[in-house]
Amino acid sequence: MLDAVTTAVPGHVASGALADLRANFAQVGHHPSDDQWHALEALLETFDRLVDGRADPALYLSALDPGVGKTSAVIAYLRRLMASPDHRHAGVLLSLSRLGEIERLAKALSGKGVTLAVRTSDDARNALSTVDEVEDAQVLIITQQRLTLVLDGRRLSEARSLYYRGRPRALRIWDESFLPGEAIAMPNDDVLACVGWLRRADAPELREWALRLAQEAENAKDGGRVFVPVWDFADDSERKRHALAPLRALEAQGETLAGKHRETLETLLAMSGRTLSVRRDGRVPMPTLVGYRRTIPDDLLPLVVLDASGRVRTTYDDLATTMPLVRLPAAHKDYSGLTIRVWDRGGGKSSFGTEKAAEPIVSAIADLIESSDDTGRWLVVGHKQVEGRVVDVEGTLRRRLSPAKSALVDFITWGNHAASNDYADASRVVLAGTLFLPRSGYEALKRLCLDRDPDQLALTDDDLTDTEMGEHGHYVLQALCRASVRKAEEGGTRPCTAYIIASKRSGIRNRLPEWFPGCRVESWEPRGPKPLTGHSKMVFDYVTRWAAAKEPGAKLKFSKVYGDLHIHPDVFRDVRANERLKAALAERGITEGGGGKLMTHYTLVARVSESRVSDV
């Protein structure tokens, strides 16, 4: 028999949690803006609506920027909830992606009377549980991967191992990136490899099925389609298990590739009877099968998603066409304390494929760090080493650094660049390249969120470009916000300088002001700035000659500069926007000044020795 549900007082938990949050933030010196407080209050009130059963079945997205206080709000709310006698019935399902964050939350929630269960692949983290049985724990913290495995295509109402007191948990929270399933971009070589193993495993029916699919994919052009044959036993779990048994036996004998091939076949069998795209992308345009599997059941809604990238990714806009999505109030930070310097060159994995290819980038980063005068910490985000494909970027960099400078550098890889506060004291961050997916990966992601196969919806290049730009924003936002820029001060951020390697073709430079409102974007030219030419050189020479005869504080009106040089005012406005000119003048202690946002003159701020400036 199901437990009777006590009707809670609306707003009771949220109001108490908000008071606790204000007190905690005041104690640690964290001062969100009024808009950010409003957004945090809306998040807490949404928790109340789920707990009280007043929330419609929808995805509730909170896209507050990192460092505003989403995690602190969750902790404050759950502490209040578990301490409330009126809410003993309210179970909580909290799903996270990283073991470190799970450990931090479990420790933060522990205390007298707390019933907590932790379910991960790590026994040490699971030992943080305060009860033995999941059903006895008011709060269940579980990895997103494990949650997906437990559901395994089932509805939440059927997953009794996730229940609390005989019913599904009312408050369900998903931390960081949410996707409704698996985006699939499978090289056809993986399917062909399965064919050989299936001969060895004596599975002729399944081998013939896989071979037919692989041959069609090999013959398809870029952007073509293939139909996944309906295998006679696709809906018969027992026959499917029997067919895959030989591969499982080889896997048990230590044949590691057998496990990979089994997973490939299970993925394809799950898409039996559907149409897939074929993409030929990459340097060697081999065919890739593109599809998706939806694994998150509809009745997991209502679900609160805490994802700072929700304001830059297009995946949520696409999801809104297939499920109810409610965007909670989001107050953006003022990123005026952030300066981003961009080096216009490629930074994908191929740029780090060999020591020779990586040398220009690694040397530039090493020179940048070595030339720094202060002793503040650096954070470098780079590609993970892949044998034969990506060199050991961290090792290569540290070999070029002096021991003293190397000790100031933390290095993390793409894939571990999110959901961590460990590097919040680093005031300089370098994105040593950026993470790119092949075109097939962006199409798979788009189709997963739209829930449409290619025979249902054709995608244009613009569609895929929108998804790609959204993912660039997601990666860059999450990576930069591991450093000091994540810390909020009166609605803004602490000072931080970021260095990004990204080609012009990526479009990343142009989107940075959108992703980081108020930031300053400059050029990073490790090999030295290109020489000024034309009108920029004329203006530089004129202004520096003027400054040589003046004292600090002197002002030079723009109208005199363009008048004496006979440059049209509109042309002069464009010349002033030249970042190399601005940087060269700044090196000489010359900046622009004026009233408010309107700049009207140059100001000599300070004299700078010629020995300290670079040639132009």
Side-chain angles (χ1 to χ4, degrees), residues 175-250:
D175 191 47
E176 299 296 340
S177 302
F178 174 81
L179 291 173
E182 178 186 5
I184 298 167
M186 181 184 296
N188 196 45
D189 281 359
D190 288 358
V191 186
L192 287 168
C194 288
V195 173
W197 279 81
L198 288 170
R199 183 193 299 277
R200 177 179 168 186
D202 193 24
E205 295 170 328
L206 196 53
R207 177 183 175 278
E208 180 61 31
W209 177 85
L211 179 60
R212 193 180 355 153
L213 174 62
Q215 288 174 336
E216 287 192 23
E218 282 295 312
N219 295 328
K221 296 180 180 178
D222 181 47
R225 305 174 185 177
V226 295
F227 180 74
V228 182
V230 178
W231 189 48
D232 291 344
F233 313 117
D235 295 326
D236 188 330
S237 58
E238 187 61 35
R239 296 293 295 272
K240 189 189 303 184
R241 204 163 26 246
H242 177 74
L244 293 173
L247 279 173
R248 292 185 182 277
L250 291 171

Coordinates of all heavy atoms in Angstrom, one line a residue, residues 175-250:
D175 N 21.9 17.7 -12.9 CA 22.9 18.7 -12.8 C 23.8 18.7 -14.1 O 24.2 17.7 -14.6 CB 23.9 18.5 -11.6 CG 24.8 19.7 -11.4 OD1 24.3 20.9 -11.4 OD2 26.0 19.5 -11.2
E176 N 24.0 19.9 -14.7 CA 24.8 20.1 -15.9 C 24.0 19.6 -17.1 O 22.8 19.5 -17.1 CB 26.2 19.5 -15.8 CG 27.0 20.1 -14.7 CD 27.4 21.5 -14.8 OE1 27.3 22.0 -16.0 OE2 27.7 22.2 -13.8
S177 N 24.8 19.3 -18.2 CA 24.2 19.1 -19.5 C 23.1 18.0 -19.5 O 23.4 16.8 -19.1 CB 25.3 18.7 -20.5 OG 26.3 19.7 -20.6
F178 N 22.0 18.3 -20.1 CA 20.9 17.3 -20.3 C 20.7 17.0 -21.7 O 20.6 17.9 -22.6 CB 19.6 17.8 -19.7 CG 18.4 16.9 -19.9 CD1 18.3 15.8 -19.1 CD2 17.6 17.1 -21.0 CE1 17.2 14.9 -19.3 CE2 16.5 16.2 -21.2 CZ 16.3 15.1 -20.4
L179 N 20.7 15.7 -22.0 CA 20.3 15.2 -23.4 C 19.3 14.1 -23.1 O 19.4 13.3 -22.2 CB 21.5 14.7 -24.2 CG 22.5 15.8 -24.6 CD1 23.7 15.2 -25.3 CD2 21.8 16.7 -25.6
P180 N 18.3 13.9 -24.0 CA 17.3 12.9 -23.8 C 17.7 11.5 -24.2 O 16.9 10.6 -24.2 CB 16.1 13.4 -24.6 CG 16.8 14.1 -25.8 CD 18.0 14.7 -25.2
G181 N 19.0 11.3 -24.5 CA 19.4 10.0 -24.9 C 20.8 10.0 -25.5 O 21.6 10.8 -25.1
E182 N 21.1 9.2 -26.5 CA 22.4 9.0 -27.0 C 22.5 9.4 -28.5 O 21.7 9.0 -29.3 CB 22.8 7.5 -26.9 CG 24.2 7.2 -27.5 CD 24.5 5.7 -27.5 OE1 23.6 4.9 -27.1 OE2 25.7 5.4 -27.8
A183 N 23.4 10.4 -28.7 CA 23.6 10.8 -30.1 C 24.6 9.8 -30.7 O 25.7 9.6 -30.1 CB 24.1 12.2 -30.2
I184 N 24.3 9.2 -31.9 CA 25.1 8.1 -32.4 C 25.8 8.6 -33.7 O 25.1 8.9 -34.7 CB 24.3 6.9 -32.6 CG1 23.7 6.4 -31.3 CG2 25.1 5.8 -33.3 CD1 22.6 5.3 -31.4
A185 N 27.1 8.5 -33.8 CA 27.9 8.7 -35.0 C 28.8 7.6 -35.1 O 29.9 7.6 -34.5 CB 28.6 10.1 -35.0
M186 N 28.5 6.5 -35.8 CA 29.2 5.3 -35.8 C 29.9 5.0 -37.1 O 29.3 4.9 -38.1 CB 28.2 4.1 -35.5 CG 28.9 2.7 -35.5 SD 27.6 1.4 -35.3 CE 26.9 1.8 -33.7
P187 N 31.3 5.0 -37.0 CA 32.0 4.7 -38.3 C 31.6 3.4 -38.8 O 31.5 2.4 -38.1 CB 33.5 4.7 -37.8 CG 33.5 5.5 -36.5 CD 32.2 5.3 -35.9
N188 N 31.4 3.3 -40.2 CA 31.0 2.1 -40.8 C 32.1 1.0 -40.6 O 31.8 -0.2 -40.7 CB 30.7 2.3 -42.2 CG 29.9 1.2 -42.8 OD1 28.9 0.7 -42.2 ND2 30.3 0.7 -44.0
D189 N 33.3 1.4 -40.4 CA 34.4 0.4 -40.1 C 34.1 -0.4 -38.9 O 34.5 -1.5 -38.8 CB 35.7 1.2 -40.0 CG 36.3 1.6 -41.3 OD1 35.7 1.2 -42.4 OD2 37.4 2.2 -41.3
D190 N 33.4 0.2 -37.9 CA 33.0 -0.5 -36.7 C 32.0 -1.6 -37.0 O 32.1 -2.7 -36.5 CB 32.4 0.4 -35.7 CG 33.4 1.4 -35.0 OD1 34.6 1.3 -35.4 OD2 33.0 2.2 -34.2
V191 N 31.1 -1.3 -38.0 CA 30.2 -2.4 -38.4 C 30.9 -3.5 -39.2 O 30.6 -4.7 -38.9 CB 29.0 -1.7 -39.2 CG1 27.9 -2.8 -39.5 CG2 28.4 -0.5 -38.5
L192 N 31.8 -3.1 -40.1 CA 32.5 -4.1 -40.8 C 33.3 -5.0 -39.9 O 33.5 -6.2 -40.2 CB 33.4 -3.4 -41.9 CG 32.6 -2.8 -43.1 CD1 33.6 -1.9 -43.8 CD2 32.1 -3.9 -44.0
A193 N 33.9 -4.4 -38.9 CA 34.7 -5.2 -37.9 C 33.9 -6.2 -37.2 O 34.3 -7.3 -37.0 CB 35.4 -4.2 -36.9
C194 N 32.6 -5.8 -36.9 CA 31.7 -6.8 -36.3 C 31.4 -8.0 -37.2 O 31.3 -9.1 -36.7 CB 30.4 -6.1 -36.0 SG 30.4 -4.9 -34.6
V195 N 31.4 -7.7 -38.5 CA 31.1 -8.8 -39.4 C 32.1 -10.0 -39.3 O 31.7 -11.1 -39.2 CB 31.0 -8.3 -40.9 CG1 30.9 -9.4 -41.9 CG2 29.9 -7.3 -41.0
G196 N 33.4 -9.6 -39.2 CA 34.4 -10.6 -39.1 C 34.3 -11.4 -37.8 O 34.5 -12.6 -37.7
W197 N 34.0 -10.7 -36.7 CA 33.9 -11.3 -35.4 C 32.7 -12.2 -35.4 O 32.7 -13.3 -34.7 CB 33.8 -10.2 -34.3 CG 35.1 -9.7 -33.9 CD1 35.9 -8.8 -34.6 CD2 35.9 -10.1 -32.8 NE1 37.1 -8.6 -34.0 CE2 37.1 -9.4 -32.9 CE3 35.8 -11.1 -31.8 CZ2 38.1 -9.5 -31.9 CZ3 36.8 -11.2 -30.9 CH2 37.9 -10.5 -30.9
L198 N 31.6 -11.8 -36.0 CA 30.4 -12.7 -36.0 C 30.6 -14.0 -36.8 O 30.0 -15.0 -36.4 CB 29.2 -11.9 -36.6 CG 28.7 -10.8 -35.8 CD1 27.7 -9.9 -36.5 CD2 28.0 -11.3 -34.5
R199 N 31.5 -14.0 -37.8 CA 31.9 -15.2 -38.4 C 32.6 -16.1 -37.4 O 32.3 -17.3 -37.3 CB 32.7 -15.0 -39.7 CG 33.1 -16.3 -40.4 CD 34.2 -16.0 -41.4 NE 33.9 -15.0 -42.4 CZ 33.2 -15.3 -43.5 NH1 32.7 -16.5 -43.8 NH2 32.9 -14.3 -44.4
R200 N 33.5 -15.5 -36.7 CA 34.3 -16.3 -35.7 C 33.4 -16.7 -34.6 O 33.6 -17.8 -34.0 CB 35.4 -15.4 -35.1 CG 36.2 -16.0 -34.0 CD 37.3 -15.0 -33.6 NE 37.9 -15.4 -32.4 CZ 38.8 -14.7 -31.7 NH1 39.1 -13.5 -32.2 NH2 39.4 -15.1 -30.6
A201 N 32.3 -15.9 -34.2 CA 31.4 -16.3 -33.2 C 30.3 -17.2 -33.6 O 29.5 -17.6 -32.8 CB 30.8 -15.0 -32.6
D202 N 30.4 -17.6 -34.9 CA 29.4 -18.6 -35.4 C 27.9 -18.0 -35.2 O 27.1 -18.7 -34.6 CB 29.5 -19.9 -34.7 CG 28.7 -21.0 -35.5 OD1 28.4 -20.8 -36.7 OD2 28.3 -22.0 -34.9
A203 N 27.7 -16.8 -35.7 CA 26.4 -16.2 -35.6 C 26.0 -15.7 -37.0 O 26.0 -14.6 -37.4 CB 26.4 -15.0 -34.7
P204 N 25.7 -16.7 -37.9 CA 25.5 -16.4 -39.3 C 24.3 -15.4 -39.6 O 24.4 -14.6 -40.5 CB 25.2 -17.8 -40.0 CG 24.8 -18.6 -38.8 CD 25.5 -18.1 -37.6
E205 N 23.2 -15.6 -38.9 CA 22.0 -14.7 -39.1 C 22.4 -13.3 -38.8 O 22.1 -12.4 -39.6 CB 20.9 -15.2 -38.2 CG 20.3 -16.6 -38.6 CD 19.3 -17.0 -37.5 OE1 19.5 -16.6 -36.3 OE2 18.4 -17.8 -37.9
L206 N 23.0 -13.1 -37.7 CA 23.3 -11.7 -37.3 C 24.5 -11.1 -38.2 O 24.5 -9.9 -38.5 CB 23.8 -11.7 -35.8 CG 23.8 -10.3 -35.1 CD1 22.5 -9.6 -35.3 CD2 24.2 -10.5 -33.7
R207 N 25.4 -12.0 -38.6 CA 26.4 -11.6 -39.5 C 25.9 -11.1 -40.8 O 26.3 -10.1 -41.4 CB 27.4 -12.7 -39.7 CG 28.5 -12.4 -40.7 CD 29.5 -13.5 -41.0 NE 30.4 -13.2 -42.0 CZ 30.2 -13.2 -43.3 NH1 29.0 -13.6 -43.8 NH2 31.1 -12.8 -44.2
E208 N 24.9 -11.8 -41.4 CA 24.3 -11.5 -42.7 C 23.6 -10.1 -42.5 O 23.6 -9.3 -43.4 CB 23.4 -12.6 -43.1 CG 22.7 -12.3 -44.4 CD 23.6 -12.2 -45.6 OE1 24.7 -12.8 -45.6 OE2 23.3 -11.4 -46.6
W209 N 22.9 -9.9 -41.4 CA 22.2 -8.7 -41.2 C 23.1 -7.5 -41.1 O 22.9 -6.5 -41.7 CB 21.4 -8.9 -39.8 CG 20.7 -7.7 -39.4 CD1 19.4 -7.3 -39.7 CD2 21.1 -6.6 -38.5 NE1 19.1 -6.1 -39.1 CE2 20.1 -5.7 -38.3 CE3 22.3 -6.4 -37.8 CZ2 20.2 -4.6 -37.5 CZ3 22.4 -5.3 -36.9 CH2 21.4 -4.4 -36.8
A210 N 24.2 -7.6 -40.4 CA 25.2 -6.5 -40.2 C 25.9 -6.3 -41.5 O 26.2 -5.1 -41.9 CB 26.2 -6.9 -39.1
L211 N 26.2 -7.3 -42.3 CA 26.9 -7.2 -43.6 C 26.1 -6.4 -44.6 O 26.6 -5.5 -45.3 CB 27.3 -8.6 -44.1 CG 28.0 -8.6 -45.5 CD1 29.4 -7.8 -45.4 CD2 28.3 -10.0 -45.9
R212 N 24.8 -6.7 -44.6 CA 23.9 -6.0 -45.6 C 23.9 -4.5 -45.2 O 24.0 -3.7 -46.1 CB 22.5 -6.6 -45.5 CG 21.6 -6.1 -46.6 CD 20.2 -6.7 -46.6 NE 19.9 -7.6 -45.6 CZ 18.7 -7.8 -45.1 NH1 17.7 -7.1 -45.5 NH2 18.4 -8.7 -44.2
L213 N 23.8 -4.1 -44.0 CA 23.8 -2.7 -43.6 C 25.2 -2.1 -43.9 O 25.2 -1.0 -44.5 CB 23.6 -2.6 -42.1 CG 23.6 -1.2 -41.5 CD1 22.6 -0.3 -42.1 CD2 23.4 -1.3 -40.0
A214 N 26.3 -2.7 -43.6 CA 27.6 -2.1 -43.9 C 27.8 -1.9 -45.4 O 28.4 -0.9 -45.8 CB 28.7 -3.1 -43.3
Q215 N 27.4 -2.8 -46.2 CA 27.5 -2.7 -47.6 C 26.8 -1.5 -48.2 O 27.2 -0.8 -49.0 CB 27.1 -4.0 -48.3 CG 28.1 -5.1 -48.1 CD 27.6 -6.4 -48.7 OE1 26.4 -6.7 -48.9 NE2 28.6 -7.3 -49.0
E216 N 25.5 -1.3 -47.7 CA 24.7 -0.2 -48.1 C 25.4 1.1 -47.7 O 25.4 2.1 -48.5 CB 23.3 -0.3 -47.5 CG 22.5 -1.3 -48.2 CD 21.0 -1.2 -47.8 OE1 20.6 -0.1 -47.4 OE2 20.3 -2.2 -47.8
A217 N 25.9 1.2 -46.5 CA 26.6 2.4 -46.0 C 27.9 2.7 -46.9 O 28.2 3.8 -47.2 CB 27.0 2.3 -44.6
E218 N 28.6 1.7 -47.3 CA 29.8 1.8 -48.1 C 29.5 2.5 -49.4 O 30.3 3.2 -50.0 CB 30.5 0.5 -48.3 CG 31.3 0.0 -47.1 CD 32.5 0.9 -46.8 OE1 33.3 1.3 -47.7 OE2 32.7 1.3 -45.6
N219 N 28.3 2.1 -50.0 CA 27.9 2.6 -51.3 C 27.2 4.0 -51.2 O 27.0 4.6 -52.3 CB 27.0 1.6 -52.0 CG 27.7 0.3 -52.2 OD1 28.9 0.3 -52.5 ND2 27.0 -0.8 -52.2
A220 N 26.9 4.4 -50.0 CA 26.1 5.7 -49.9 C 27.0 6.9 -50.1 O 28.2 6.9 -49.7 CB 25.4 5.7 -48.6
K221 N 26.5 8.0 -50.6 CA 27.2 9.2 -50.8 C 27.0 10.0 -49.5 O 26.2 9.7 -48.6 CB 26.7 10.0 -52.0 CG 26.9 9.3 -53.3 CD 26.3 10.2 -54.4 CE 26.6 9.5 -55.8 NZ 26.0 10.3 -56.9
D222 N 27.9 11.1 -49.4 CA 27.7 12.0 -48.2 C 26.3 12.6 -48.2 O 25.9 13.1 -49.2 CB 28.8 13.1 -48.3 CG 28.7 14.0 -47.1 OD1 28.6 13.5 -46.0 OD2 28.7 15.3 -47.3
G223 N 25.7 12.5 -47.0 CA 24.3 13.0 -46.9 C 23.3 12.0 -47.4 O 22.1 12.3 -47.3
G224 N 23.7 10.8 -47.7 CA 22.7 9.8 -48.1 C 22.0 9.1 -47.0 O 22.2 9.5 -45.8
R225 N 21.2 8.1 -47.3 CA 20.4 7.5 -46.2 C 20.6 6.0 -46.4 O 20.7 5.5 -47.5 CB 19.0 7.8 -46.3 CG 18.7 9.3 -46.2 CD 17.2 9.6 -46.4 NE 16.9 11.0 -46.5 CZ 15.7 11.5 -46.7 NH1 14.6 10.6 -46.9 NH2 15.4 12.8 -46.7
V226 N 20.5 5.2 -45.3 CA 20.4 3.8 -45.3 C 19.3 3.3 -44.3 O 19.1 4.0 -43.3 CB 21.8 3.1 -44.9 CG1 22.8 3.4 -46.0 CG2 22.2 3.5 -43.5
F227 N 18.7 2.2 -44.7 CA 17.7 1.7 -43.8 C 18.3 0.5 -43.0 O 18.9 -0.4 -43.6 CB 16.5 1.2 -44.7 CG 15.4 0.6 -43.9 CD1 14.5 1.4 -43.1 CD2 15.2 -0.8 -43.9 CE1 13.5 0.8 -42.4 CE2 14.1 -1.3 -43.1 CZ 13.3 -0.5 -42.4
V228 N 18.1 0.6 -41.7 CA 18.6 -0.5 -40.9 C 17.6 -1.7 -41.0 O 16.4 -1.6 -40.6 CB 18.7 -0.1 -39.4 CG1 19.2 -1.3 -38.6 CG2 19.5 1.1 -39.3
P229 N 18.0 -2.8 -41.6 CA 17.1 -3.9 -41.8 C 16.4 -4.4 -40.5 O 17.0 -4.3 -39.4 CB 18.0 -5.0 -42.4 CG 19.2 -4.3 -42.9 CD 19.4 -3.1 -42.0
V230 N 15.2 -4.8 -40.7 CA 14.4 -5.3 -39.5 C 14.9 -6.8 -39.3 O 14.5 -7.7 -40.1 CB 12.9 -5.3 -39.8 CG1 12.2 -5.9 -38.5 CG2 12.5 -3.8 -40.0
W231 N 15.7 -7.0 -38.3 CA 16.2 -8.3 -38.0 C 15.0 -9.1 -37.4 O 14.2 -8.6 -36.6 CB 17.3 -8.2 -37.0 CG 18.1 -9.5 -36.8 CD1 18.5 -10.4 -37.7 CD2 18.4 -10.1 -35.5 NE1 19.1 -11.5 -37.1 CE2 19.1 -11.3 -35.8 CE3 18.2 -9.7 -34.2 CZ2 19.5 -12.1 -34.8 CZ3 18.7 -10.5 -33.2 CH2 19.3 -11.7 -33.5
D232 N 14.9 -10.4 -37.8 CA 13.8 -11.2 -37.5 C 13.6 -11.3 -36.0 O 12.5 -11.4 -35.5 CB 13.9 -12.6 -38.0 CG 13.8 -12.6 -39.5 OD1 13.3 -11.6 -40.1 OD2 14.2 -13.6 -40.2
F233 N 14.7 -11.1 -35.2 CA 14.6 -11.4 -33.8 C 14.8 -10.1 -33.0 O 15.1 -10.1 -31.8 CB 15.6 -12.4 -33.3 CG 15.6 -13.7 -34.2 CD1 16.7 -14.0 -34.9 CD2 14.4 -14.4 -34.3 CE1 16.7 -15.1 -35.7 CE2 14.4 -15.5 -35.1 CZ 15.5 -15.9 -35.8
A234 N 14.7 -8.9 -33.6 CA 15.0 -7.7 -33.0 C 14.1 -7.4 -31.7 O 14.5 -6.8 -30.8 CB 14.8 -6.5 -34.0
D235 N 12.9 -7.9 -31.8 CA 11.9 -7.7 -30.7 C 11.9 -8.8 -29.7 O 11.1 -8.8 -28.8 CB 10.5 -7.4 -31.2 CG 10.5 -6.1 -32.0 OD1 11.2 -5.2 -31.7 OD2 9.7 -6.0 -33.0
D236 N 12.7 -9.8 -30.0 CA 12.7 -11.0 -29.1 C 14.0 -11.0 -28.3 O 15.1 -11.3 -28.7 CB 12.7 -12.3 -30.0 CG 12.5 -13.6 -29.2 OD1 12.9 -13.6 -28.0 OD2 11.9 -14.5 -29.7
S237 N 13.8 -10.5 -27.0 CA 15.0 -10.3 -26.2 C 15.8 -11.6 -25.9 O 17.0 -11.6 -25.9 CB 14.6 -9.7 -24.8 OG 13.7 -10.5 -24.2
E238 N 15.1 -12.7 -25.9 CA 15.7 -14.0 -25.6 C 16.6 -14.4 -26.8 O 17.7 -14.9 -26.7 CB 14.7 -15.1 -25.3 CG 15.3 -16.4 -24.8 CD 16.1 -16.3 -23.6 OE1 15.8 -15.4 -22.7 OE2 17.1 -17.0 -23.5
R239 N 16.0 -14.3 -28.0 CA 16.7 -14.7 -29.3 C 17.9 -13.7 -29.5 O 19.0 -14.1 -29.9 CB 15.8 -14.7 -30.5 CG 14.7 -15.7 -30.5 CD 15.3 -17.1 -30.5 NE 15.9 -17.4 -31.8 CZ 15.3 -17.8 -32.9 NH1 14.0 -18.1 -32.9 NH2 15.9 -18.1 -34.0
K240 N 17.7 -12.5 -29.1 CA 18.8 -11.5 -29.3 C 19.9 -11.8 -28.3 O 21.1 -11.8 -28.7 CB 18.3 -10.1 -28.9 CG 19.2 -9.0 -29.3 CD 18.8 -7.6 -28.7 CE 17.4 -7.2 -29.3 NZ 17.0 -5.9 -28.8
R241 N 19.6 -12.2 -27.1 CA 20.6 -12.6 -26.1 C 21.4 -13.8 -26.6 O 22.6 -13.9 -26.4 CB 19.9 -12.8 -24.8 CG 20.8 -12.6 -23.6 CD 20.2 -12.5 -22.2 NE 18.8 -13.1 -22.2 CZ 17.7 -12.4 -22.0 NH1 17.8 -11.0 -21.9 NH2 16.5 -12.9 -21.9
H242 N 20.6 -14.7 -27.2 CA 21.2 -16.0 -27.7 C 22.2 -15.7 -28.8 O 23.3 -16.2 -28.9 CB 20.2 -16.9 -28.2 CG 20.7 -18.2 -28.8 ND1 21.3 -19.2 -28.0 CD2 20.8 -18.6 -30.1 CE1 21.7 -20.2 -28.8 NE2 21.4 -19.8 -30.1
A243 N 21.8 -14.7 -29.7 CA 22.7 -14.4 -30.9 C 23.9 -13.7 -30.4 O 25.0 -13.9 -31.0 CB 21.9 -13.5 -31.8
L244 N 23.8 -12.9 -29.4 CA 25.0 -12.2 -28.9 C 25.8 -13.0 -27.9 O 26.9 -12.5 -27.5 CB 24.6 -10.8 -28.2 CG 24.0 -9.8 -29.2 CD1 23.4 -8.6 -28.4 CD2 25.0 -9.3 -30.2
A245 N 25.4 -14.1 -27.5 CA 26.0 -14.9 -26.5 C 27.5 -15.3 -26.9 O 28.4 -15.2 -26.0 CB 25.2 -16.2 -26.2
P246 N 27.7 -15.7 -28.1 CA 29.1 -16.0 -28.5 C 30.1 -14.8 -28.3 O 31.2 -15.0 -27.8 CB 29.1 -16.3 -30.0 CG 27.7 -16.8 -30.2 CD 26.8 -16.0 -29.3
L247 N 29.6 -13.6 -28.6 CA 30.4 -12.4 -28.3 C 30.7 -12.2 -26.9 O 31.8 -11.8 -26.4 CB 29.8 -11.1 -29.0 CG 30.0 -11.0 -30.5 CD1 29.2 -9.8 -31.0 CD2 31.5 -10.7 -30.8
R248 N 29.6 -12.4 -26.1 CA 29.8 -12.3 -24.6 C 30.8 -13.3 -24.1 O 31.6 -13.0 -23.2 CB 28.4 -12.4 -23.9 CG 27.5 -11.3 -24.2 CD 26.2 -11.5 -23.4 NE 25.2 -10.5 -23.7 CZ 25.2 -9.2 -23.1 NH1 26.1 -8.9 -22.3 NH2 24.3 -8.4 -23.5
A249 N 30.8 -14.5 -24.7 CA 31.7 -15.5 -24.2 C 33.1 -15.1 -24.5 O 34.1 -15.3 -23.7 CB 31.4 -16.8 -24.9
L250 N 33.4 -14.6 -25.8 CA 34.7 -14.1 -26.1 C 35.1 -12.9 -25.2 O 36.3 -12.8 -24.8 CB 34.7 -13.7 -27.6 CG 34.6 -14.8 -28.6 CD1 34.4 -14.1 -30.0 CD2 35.8 -15.7 -28.6

